[in-house]
Amino acid sequence: MLPRDLPAADIIPFARRAEELGFAELWVVEDLGFRGGIAQAASVLASTSRIVLGIGILPAGARNAVFAAMELATLEQLFPGRLVAGIGHGMPHWMRSIGAWPASPLTLLEEYLTTVRGLLAGQRIDTADSARYVKLTDAALEPSSIPDAAPPVLAGVRGPKSLAVSGRAADGTILAEPAGPEYARAALGHIAAAGPHRLVTFNIGSVHPDATAAIDAARPGLAAIGEPDWAPHIEPMPFAAEFAALRADCASGEDFVERMPADWVPQLALAGTAAQVRDRLAELSAAGVTSSVFIPVGDPFEALESLATVL
């Protein structure tokens, strides 16, 4: 993952180094107040030659669906086969703060995903009389702007109802951190896709020859996961009850991660020696994960080099 607060001058060198080291994918985020997902994607794709660029995620309430499809179609035409587009609700408090949180987030997301995928596939869409949010009248991409093959459109979601929407309306699902094998399997059960379905997981990544050093470095990145929004990630874990009790006894997220048992960290992050992390990646793959995304900790360029030892 490209760190959202990376200095602007480091974005292209970071992307190029990730490609040089052999990573298959580089993911950018669109968090409120940071950098735009489409602009980052275009810049990285234009500055590299092989690496696949994932956008995780574009909030559905932030853009008109037709204009989002136009942007994604353009990227796919210019850089064929190198784009994976993630779309989701966006964080509720962010979207409320900009007046873009709908009365029915599930309805908006399903209409939006269906529309964007249809437009990218060359469909002409008229939903003026049937849709609640994405109301289109005879809308389509012009023939010159339709990509030869539509890029995959994934839903970045976490709750059971949203996961079911992903199963019906998306090519795959993005699971935010922490995403262990237990959560992946539980999510796939809710997704219940009728056909092939990609599953992308984000996880804090920390690799070091000394497993204890890797675990300690990963801890700060887990400070928020005790909050209620992260409950679906933790409920399938074998220590979920102990986790909740510890968080309730801590005054802050920082206190929580300091007191967290060391053996929990490698189950909540990709943390340890290169061999240990490879084993964890194999567990994720066996659970149905098709792409495992490292979220670097510490110095971004040093993290790139240490994470690449897993490759």
Side-chain angles (χ1 to χ4, degrees):
M1 182 178 288
L2 182 78
R4 66 184 186 178
D5 56 354
L6 195 66
D10 289 341
I11 291 175
I12 300 308
F14 185 93
R16 288 175 171 163
R17 185 57 182 153
E19 182 171 74
E20 290 170 358
L21 289 168
F23 289 97
E25 300 173 0
L26 179 65
W27 283 74
V28 298
V29 297
E30 185 171 76
D31 287 346
L32 184 63
F34 287 87
R35 297 190 176 101
I38 299 294
Q40 290 182 88
S43 300
V44 169
L45 287 166
S47 303
T48 55
S49 60
R50 173 197 58 80
I51 202 164
V52 170
L53 190 287
I55 306 175
I57 60 165
L58 304 175
R63 288 179 184 82
N64 176 279
V66 178
F67 281 84
M70 290 164 55
E71 297 278 14
L72 297 174
T74 301
L75 290 174
E76 177 61 31
Q77 283 192 313
L78 292 173
F79 309 100
R82 296 181 58 204
L83 176 68
V84 180
I87 296 171
H89 300 300
M91 294 296 285
H93 62 285
W94 289 347
M95 303 310 290
R96 288 190 181 100
S97 75
I98 62 169
W101 187 250
S104 177
L106 291 168
T107 301
L108 170 59
L109 183 61
E110 186 155 6
E111 290 181 358
Y112 198 97
L113 288 166
T114 301
T115 298
V116 170
R117 289 178 70 219
L119 292 168
L120 290 171
Q123 297 175 12
R124 185 168 293 276
I125 298 176
D126 194 321
T127 58
D129 297 326
S130 59
R132 180 173 177 181
Y133 294 105
V134 186
K135 294 179 175 293
L136 307 184
T137 301
D138 196 30
L141 299 182
E142 292 297 323
S144 63
S145 298
I146 299 170
D148 291 338
V153 176
L154 280 56
V157 290
R158 69 172 105 220
K161 292 181 180 179
S162 297
L163 290 166
V165 167
S166 182
R168 294 192 298 269
D171 298 306
T173 301
I174 302 165
L175 301 179
E177 72 284 357
E182 300 89 349
Y183 179 42
R185 285 190 290 268
L188 285 171
H190 294 300
I191 290 165
H197 194 87
R198 298 186 184 207
L199 188 64
V200 177
T201 53
F202 293 170
N203 277 299
I204 298 295
S206 178
V207 178
H208 193 278
D210 180 349
T212 300
I215 288 169
D216 289 344
R219 286 181 184 272
L222 301 173
I225 67 170
E227 304 307 314
D229 282 345
W230 276 262
H233 303 245
I234 306 304
E235 288 168 355
M237 303 296 291
F239 50 81
E242 294 89 343
F243 180 100
L246 176 60
R247 182 62 187 92
D249 192 50
C250 294
S252 66
E254 290 71 25
D255 182 33
F256 173 60
V257 293
E258 286 182 12
R259 293 173 57 185
M260 182 181 291
D263 62 336
W264 288 7
V265 177
Q267 298 179 71
L268 297 167
L270 293 169
T273 67
Q276 289 170 334
V277 172
R278 276 194 292 271
D279 289 344
R280 188 62 169 173
L281 291 171
E283 292 176 17
L284 286 165
S285 179
V289 174
T290 55
S291 292
S292 291
V293 181
F294 288 119
I295 301 172
V297 294
D299 178 88
F301 286 92
E302 291 179 4
L304 261 185
E305 301 298 324
S306 63
L307 294 172
T309 62
V310 174
L311 306 179

